[in-house]
Amino acid sequence: MLDMMYMLDMSFNPVFRSPSAARAGGFSEEEIKTLPLEKKMTPASFARMNAAIAEHLTPERLQDPSFTDPVTIELEMLRKDGPMQWQEHIVSLVRDRAGRPAGFFGVARDITERKRADEQVQALNTRFAEIEEAERKRLAQILHDEV
């Protein structure tokens, strides 16, 4: 699993991305620069990202020169070849020498397989609960019939 690194300006425009980040989505440098952020992920992920930004980057935190705490968010990203890719992003605020917000540094990794495994576990847990409930009802009926 390769980590993907990137830098964004304060308007979330790409400034730098590692070769692994470029390979992950399949987009050229020019395509990634011109593709609006909301077109790089699902609408649900875009909404989740905006909510995380609003919650994490409050005006008070932006004005605090010591604040650079990272935020972790899972996003479903668009790939040029079609299928979506779940990625976990850890993003930190970058400040200039005067302490003013200058952009963002992010590290992302593909978590698609982990998300699929989580879905399978959830489906198995749901199925197990259904079987358990059916068995309880069956035993209750047996006990009721014997009385």
Side-chain angles (χ1 to χ4, degrees), residues 57-86:
L57 294 177
T58 63
E60 297 80 22
R61 287 179 172 170
L62 287 173
Q63 290 186 9
D64 176 0
S66 67
F67 178 81
T68 59
D69 294 354
V71 63
T72 301
I73 187 167
E74 294 179 356
L75 301 170
E76 195 172 13
M77 305 298 291
L78 174 69
R79 291 185 43 82
K80 186 175 182 177
D81 60 4
M84 302 305 272
Q85 179 185 63
W86 277 102

mmCIF file of all heavy atoms in Angstrom, residues 57-86:
data_model
loop_
_atom_site.group_PDB
_atom_site.id
_atom_site.type_symbol
_atom_site.label_atom_id
_atom_site.label_comp_id
_atom_site.label_asym_id
_atom_site.label_seq_id
_atom_site.Cartn_x
_atom_site.Cartn_y
_atom_site.Cartn_z
ATOM 1 N N LEU A 57 -11.798 23.647 10.753
ATOM 2 C CA LEU A 57 -11.088 24.909 10.472
ATOM 3 C C LEU A 57 -11.956 26.111 10.816
ATOM 4 O O LEU A 57 -12.353 26.882 9.948
ATOM 5 C CB LEU A 57 -10.650 24.954 9.010
ATOM 6 C CG LEU A 57 -9.615 23.923 8.611
ATOM 7 C CD1 LEU A 57 -9.318 24.020 7.122
ATOM 8 C CD2 LEU A 57 -8.346 24.077 9.425
ATOM 9 N N THR A 58 -12.233 26.274 12.073
ATOM 10 C CA THR A 58 -13.014 27.420 12.525
ATOM 11 C C THR A 58 -12.175 28.688 12.390
ATOM 12 O O THR A 58 -10.940 28.623 12.365
ATOM 13 C CB THR A 58 -13.436 27.234 13.996
ATOM 14 O OG1 THR A 58 -12.255 27.187 14.802
ATOM 15 C CG2 THR A 58 -14.267 25.976 14.194
ATOM 16 N N PRO A 59 -12.819 29.843 12.311
ATOM 17 C CA PRO A 59 -12.052 31.095 12.230
ATOM 18 C C PRO A 59 -11.061 31.257 13.383
ATOM 19 O O PRO A 59 -9.947 31.751 13.176
ATOM 20 C CB PRO A 59 -13.140 32.178 12.268
ATOM 21 C CG PRO A 59 -14.347 31.500 11.697
ATOM 22 C CD PRO A 59 -14.257 30.069 12.167
ATOM 23 N N GLU A 60 -11.447 30.815 14.578
ATOM 24 C CA GLU A 60 -10.543 30.926 15.727
ATOM 25 C C GLU A 60 -9.287 30.072 15.518
ATOM 26 O O GLU A 60 -8.178 30.502 15.824
ATOM 27 C CB GLU A 60 -11.256 30.474 17.017
ATOM 28 C CG GLU A 60 -12.450 31.319 17.408
ATOM 29 C CD GLU A 60 -13.717 30.970 16.618
ATOM 30 O OE1 GLU A 60 -13.823 29.850 16.090
ATOM 31 O OE2 GLU A 60 -14.595 31.841 16.520
ATOM 32 N N ARG A 61 -9.468 28.875 15.026
ATOM 33 C CA ARG A 61 -8.312 27.998 14.788
ATOM 34 C C ARG A 61 -7.425 28.537 13.676
ATOM 35 O O ARG A 61 -6.198 28.442 13.739
ATOM 36 C CB ARG A 61 -8.787 26.583 14.454
ATOM 37 C CG ARG A 61 -9.328 25.847 15.662
ATOM 38 C CD ARG A 61 -9.808 24.485 15.276
ATOM 39 N NE ARG A 61 -10.159 23.701 16.450
ATOM 40 C CZ ARG A 61 -10.782 22.550 16.402
ATOM 41 N NH1 ARG A 61 -11.126 22.018 15.235
ATOM 42 N NH2 ARG A 61 -11.076 21.898 17.507
ATOM 43 N N LEU A 62 -8.052 29.080 12.633
ATOM 44 C CA LEU A 62 -7.257 29.634 11.535
ATOM 45 C C LEU A 62 -6.407 30.816 12.001
ATOM 46 O O LEU A 62 -5.313 31.035 11.487
ATOM 47 C CB LEU A 62 -8.164 30.057 10.375
ATOM 48 C CG LEU A 62 -8.764 28.916 9.560
ATOM 49 C CD1 LEU A 62 -9.776 29.450 8.556
ATOM 50 C CD2 LEU A 62 -7.679 28.117 8.864
ATOM 51 N N GLN A 63 -6.894 31.561 12.976
ATOM 52 C CA GLN A 63 -6.142 32.712 13.476
ATOM 53 C C GLN A 63 -5.097 32.336 14.514
ATOM 54 O O GLN A 63 -4.222 33.147 14.818
ATOM 55 C CB GLN A 63 -7.105 33.748 14.042
ATOM 56 C CG GLN A 63 -7.918 34.417 12.949
ATOM 57 C CD GLN A 63 -8.780 35.548 13.468
ATOM 58 O OE1 GLN A 63 -8.668 35.963 14.611
ATOM 59 N NE2 GLN A 63 -9.635 36.066 12.602
ATOM 60 N N ASP A 64 -5.177 31.126 15.037
ATOM 61 C CA ASP A 64 -4.208 30.672 16.036
ATOM 62 C C ASP A 64 -2.970 30.138 15.318
ATOM 63 O O ASP A 64 -3.012 29.071 14.705
ATOM 64 C CB ASP A 64 -4.846 29.576 16.896
ATOM 65 C CG ASP A 64 -3.892 28.976 17.905
ATOM 66 O OD1 ASP A 64 -2.709 29.392 17.959
ATOM 67 O OD2 ASP A 64 -4.327 28.070 18.637
ATOM 68 N N PRO A 65 -1.830 30.862 15.372
ATOM 69 C CA PRO A 65 -0.651 30.453 14.616
ATOM 70 C C PRO A 65 -0.078 29.100 15.023
ATOM 71 O O PRO A 65 0.674 28.493 14.270
ATOM 72 C CB PRO A 65 0.378 31.553 14.869
ATOM 73 C CG PRO A 65 -0.257 32.543 15.747
ATOM 74 C CD PRO A 65 -1.635 32.091 16.098
ATOM 75 N N SER A 66 -0.456 28.596 16.186
ATOM 76 C CA SER A 66 0.065 27.294 16.612
ATOM 77 C C SER A 66 -0.818 26.129 16.156
ATOM 78 O O SER A 66 -0.424 24.970 16.266
ATOM 79 C CB SER A 66 0.206 27.254 18.143
ATOM 80 O OG SER A 66 -1.076 27.309 18.753
ATOM 81 N N PHE A 67 -1.995 26.429 15.624
ATOM 82 C CA PHE A 67 -2.907 25.353 15.235
ATOM 83 C C PHE A 67 -2.531 24.760 13.883
ATOM 84 O O PHE A 67 -2.510 25.453 12.871
ATOM 85 C CB PHE A 67 -4.357 25.852 15.179
ATOM 86 C CG PHE A 67 -5.311 24.782 14.736
ATOM 87 C CD1 PHE A 67 -5.760 23.840 15.633
ATOM 88 C CD2 PHE A 67 -5.728 24.709 13.423
ATOM 89 C CE1 PHE A 67 -6.626 22.830 15.232
ATOM 90 C CE2 PHE A 67 -6.589 23.703 13.008
ATOM 91 C CZ PHE A 67 -7.033 22.766 13.921
ATOM 92 N N THR A 68 -2.226 23.479 13.887
ATOM 93 C CA THR A 68 -1.965 22.735 12.645
ATOM 94 C C THR A 68 -2.500 21.308 12.755
ATOM 95 O O THR A 68 -2.139 20.456 11.962
ATOM 96 C CB THR A 68 -0.455 22.671 12.329
ATOM 97 O OG1 THR A 68 0.208 22.045 13.427
ATOM 98 C CG2 THR A 68 0.132 24.041 12.058
ATOM 99 N N ASP A 69 -3.354 21.041 13.751
ATOM 100 C CA ASP A 69 -3.833 19.680 13.998
ATOM 101 C C ASP A 69 -4.420 19.050 12.734
ATOM 102 O O ASP A 69 -5.217 19.682 12.034
ATOM 103 C CB ASP A 69 -4.910 19.673 15.081
ATOM 104 C CG ASP A 69 -4.363 20.090 16.436
ATOM 105 O OD1 ASP A 69 -3.143 20.271 16.561
ATOM 106 O OD2 ASP A 69 -5.176 20.229 17.360
ATOM 107 N N PRO A 70 -4.048 17.810 12.452
ATOM 108 C CA PRO A 70 -4.582 17.140 11.261
ATOM 109 C C PRO A 70 -6.026 16.679 11.466
ATOM 110 O O PRO A 70 -6.484 16.490 12.595
ATOM 111 C CB PRO A 70 -3.654 15.937 11.093
ATOM 112 C CG PRO A 70 -3.148 15.668 12.471
ATOM 113 C CD PRO A 70 -3.088 16.989 13.166
ATOM 114 N N VAL A 71 -6.703 16.513 10.371
ATOM 115 C CA VAL A 71 -8.040 15.926 10.363
ATOM 116 C C VAL A 71 -7.975 14.685 9.471
ATOM 117 O O VAL A 71 -7.264 14.670 8.461
ATOM 118 C CB VAL A 71 -9.111 16.930 9.869
ATOM 119 C CG1 VAL A 71 -8.877 17.345 8.426
ATOM 120 C CG2 VAL A 71 -10.509 16.363 10.040
ATOM 121 N N THR A 72 -8.669 13.634 9.884
ATOM 122 C CA THR A 72 -8.707 12.394 9.110
ATOM 123 C C THR A 72 -10.119 12.212 8.568
ATOM 124 O O THR A 72 -11.096 12.341 9.306
ATOM 125 C CB THR A 72 -8.327 11.186 9.984
ATOM 126 O OG1 THR A 72 -7.009 11.408 10.507
ATOM 127 C CG2 THR A 72 -8.335 9.897 9.182
ATOM 128 N N ILE A 73 -10.208 11.926 7.285
ATOM 129 C CA ILE A 73 -11.517 11.763 6.648
ATOM 130 C C ILE A 73 -11.427 10.701 5.567
ATOM 131 O O ILE A 73 -10.414 10.585 4.879
ATOM 132 C CB ILE A 73 -12.027 13.111 6.084
ATOM 133 C CG1 ILE A 73 -13.458 12.973 5.578
ATOM 134 C CG2 ILE A 73 -11.088 13.654 5.032
ATOM 135 C CD1 ILE A 73 -14.128 14.298 5.309
ATOM 136 N N GLU A 74 -12.486 9.913 5.444
ATOM 137 C CA GLU A 74 -12.570 8.899 4.392
ATOM 138 C C GLU A 74 -13.419 9.457 3.258
ATOM 139 O O GLU A 74 -14.537 9.928 3.493
ATOM 140 C CB GLU A 74 -13.187 7.611 4.943
ATOM 141 C CG GLU A 74 -12.303 6.946 5.969
ATOM 142 C CD GLU A 74 -12.899 5.667 6.555
ATOM 143 O OE1 GLU A 74 -14.057 5.317 6.227
ATOM 144 O OE2 GLU A 74 -12.201 5.025 7.354
ATOM 145 N N LEU A 75 -12.867 9.405 2.051
ATOM 146 C CA LEU A 75 -13.540 9.956 0.876
ATOM 147 C C LEU A 75 -13.575 8.929 -0.245
ATOM 148 O O LEU A 75 -12.615 8.190 -0.447
ATOM 149 C CB LEU A 75 -12.800 11.206 0.381
ATOM 150 C CG LEU A 75 -12.673 12.355 1.385
ATOM 151 C CD1 LEU A 75 -11.726 13.422 0.853
ATOM 152 C CD2 LEU A 75 -14.034 12.943 1.700
ATOM 153 N N GLU A 76 -14.668 8.923 -0.979
ATOM 154 C CA GLU A 76 -14.790 8.050 -2.142
ATOM 155 C C GLU A 76 -14.426 8.877 -3.372
ATOM 156 O O GLU A 76 -15.172 9.764 -3.790
ATOM 157 C CB GLU A 76 -16.205 7.486 -2.244
ATOM 158 C CG GLU A 76 -16.308 6.324 -3.182
ATOM 159 C CD GLU A 76 -17.658 5.645 -3.128
ATOM 160 O OE1 GLU A 76 -18.608 6.208 -2.555
ATOM 161 O OE2 GLU A 76 -17.761 4.543 -3.678
ATOM 162 N N MET A 77 -13.250 8.600 -3.917
ATOM 163 C CA MET A 77 -12.663 9.415 -4.971
ATOM 164 C C MET A 77 -12.925 8.823 -6.361
ATOM 165 O O MET A 77 -12.955 7.612 -6.540
ATOM 166 C CB MET A 77 -11.159 9.539 -4.754
ATOM 167 C CG MET A 77 -10.759 10.081 -3.391
ATOM 168 S SD MET A 77 -11.347 11.743 -3.057
ATOM 169 C CE MET A 77 -10.363 12.685 -4.212
ATOM 170 N N LEU A 78 -13.052 9.720 -7.320
ATOM 171 C CA LEU A 78 -13.244 9.346 -8.716
ATOM 172 C C LEU A 78 -11.916 8.935 -9.331
ATOM 173 O O LEU A 78 -10.890 9.555 -9.070
ATOM 174 C CB LEU A 78 -13.810 10.545 -9.484
ATOM 175 C CG LEU A 78 -13.968 10.422 -10.985
ATOM 176 C CD1 LEU A 78 -15.069 9.414 -11.306
ATOM 177 C CD2 LEU A 78 -14.304 11.771 -11.597
ATOM 178 N N ARG A 79 -11.964 7.891 -10.126
ATOM 179 C CA ARG A 79 -10.788 7.487 -10.910
ATOM 180 C C ARG A 79 -11.091 7.756 -12.375
ATOM 181 O O ARG A 79 -12.226 7.628 -12.801
ATOM 182 C CB ARG A 79 -10.494 6.001 -10.704
ATOM 183 C CG ARG A 79 -9.987 5.660 -9.312
ATOM 184 C CD ARG A 79 -9.606 4.197 -9.206
ATOM 185 N NE ARG A 79 -8.869 3.702 -10.349
ATOM 186 C CZ ARG A 79 -7.551 3.865 -10.522
ATOM 187 N NH1 ARG A 79 -6.844 4.494 -9.639
ATOM 188 N NH2 ARG A 79 -6.962 3.389 -11.591
ATOM 189 N N LYS A 80 -10.077 8.092 -13.130
ATOM 190 C CA LYS A 80 -10.281 8.394 -14.543
ATOM 191 C C LYS A 80 -10.828 7.182 -15.297
ATOM 192 O O LYS A 80 -11.659 7.318 -16.192
ATOM 193 C CB LYS A 80 -8.962 8.853 -15.178
ATOM 194 C CG LYS A 80 -9.120 9.316 -16.612
ATOM 195 C CD LYS A 80 -7.830 9.860 -17.161
ATOM 196 C CE LYS A 80 -8.021 10.355 -18.577
ATOM 197 N NZ LYS A 80 -6.803 10.954 -19.102
ATOM 198 N N ASP A 81 -10.405 5.980 -14.898
ATOM 199 C CA ASP A 81 -10.843 4.767 -15.595
ATOM 200 C C ASP A 81 -12.212 4.259 -15.131
ATOM 201 O O ASP A 81 -12.654 3.205 -15.539
ATOM 202 C CB ASP A 81 -9.793 3.663 -15.478
ATOM 203 C CG ASP A 81 -9.498 3.266 -14.034
ATOM 204 O OD1 ASP A 81 -10.154 3.780 -13.109
ATOM 205 O OD2 ASP A 81 -8.590 2.442 -13.837
ATOM 206 N N GLY A 82 -12.879 5.011 -14.247
ATOM 207 C CA GLY A 82 -14.249 4.657 -13.916
ATOM 208 C C GLY A 82 -14.546 4.290 -12.475
ATOM 209 O O GLY A 82 -15.318 4.978 -11.821
ATOM 210 N N PRO A 83 -13.981 3.189 -11.942
ATOM 211 C CA PRO A 83 -14.399 2.778 -10.601
ATOM 212 C C PRO A 83 -13.967 3.785 -9.533
ATOM 213 O O PRO A 83 -12.957 4.459 -9.676
ATOM 214 C CB PRO A 83 -13.692 1.440 -10.385
ATOM 215 C CG PRO A 83 -12.526 1.463 -11.305
ATOM 216 C CD PRO A 83 -12.952 2.304 -12.489
ATOM 217 N N MET A 84 -14.776 3.860 -8.501
ATOM 218 C CA MET A 84 -14.459 4.750 -7.391
ATOM 219 C C MET A 84 -13.420 4.074 -6.500
ATOM 220 O O MET A 84 -13.302 2.857 -6.477
ATOM 221 C CB MET A 84 -15.717 5.051 -6.584
ATOM 222 C CG MET A 84 -16.827 5.679 -7.415
ATOM 223 S SD MET A 84 -16.307 7.154 -8.283
ATOM 224 C CE MET A 84 -16.617 8.362 -7.059
ATOM 225 N N GLN A 85 -12.704 4.873 -5.749
ATOM 226 C CA GLN A 85 -11.687 4.361 -4.842
ATOM 227 C C GLN A 85 -11.863 5.052 -3.491
ATOM 228 O O GLN A 85 -11.854 6.279 -3.409
ATOM 229 C CB GLN A 85 -10.291 4.657 -5.395
ATOM 230 C CG GLN A 85 -9.164 4.191 -4.510
ATOM 231 C CD GLN A 85 -7.816 4.627 -5.049
ATOM 232 O OE1 GLN A 85 -7.536 5.819 -5.139
ATOM 233 N NE2 GLN A 85 -6.981 3.668 -5.404
ATOM 234 N N TRP A 86 -12.049 4.241 -2.443
ATOM 235 C CA TRP A 86 -12.094 4.797 -1.096
ATOM 236 C C TRP A 86 -10.675 5.143 -0.665
ATOM 237 O O TRP A 86 -9.761 4.350 -0.842
ATOM 238 C CB TRP A 86 -12.693 3.795 -0.116
ATOM 239 C CG TRP A 86 -14.174 3.799 -0.107
ATOM 240 C CD1 TRP A 86 -15.002 2.892 -0.711
ATOM 241 C CD2 TRP A 86 -15.028 4.743 0.533
ATOM 242 N NE1 TRP A 86 -16.309 3.214 -0.484
ATOM 243 C CE2 TRP A 86 -16.352 4.355 0.283
ATOM 244 C CE3 TRP A 86 -14.796 5.875 1.302
ATOM 245 C CZ2 TRP A 86 -17.446 5.056 0.774
ATOM 246 C CZ3 TRP A 86 -15.884 6.586 1.786
ATOM 247 C CH2 TRP A 86 -17.194 6.171 1.528
#
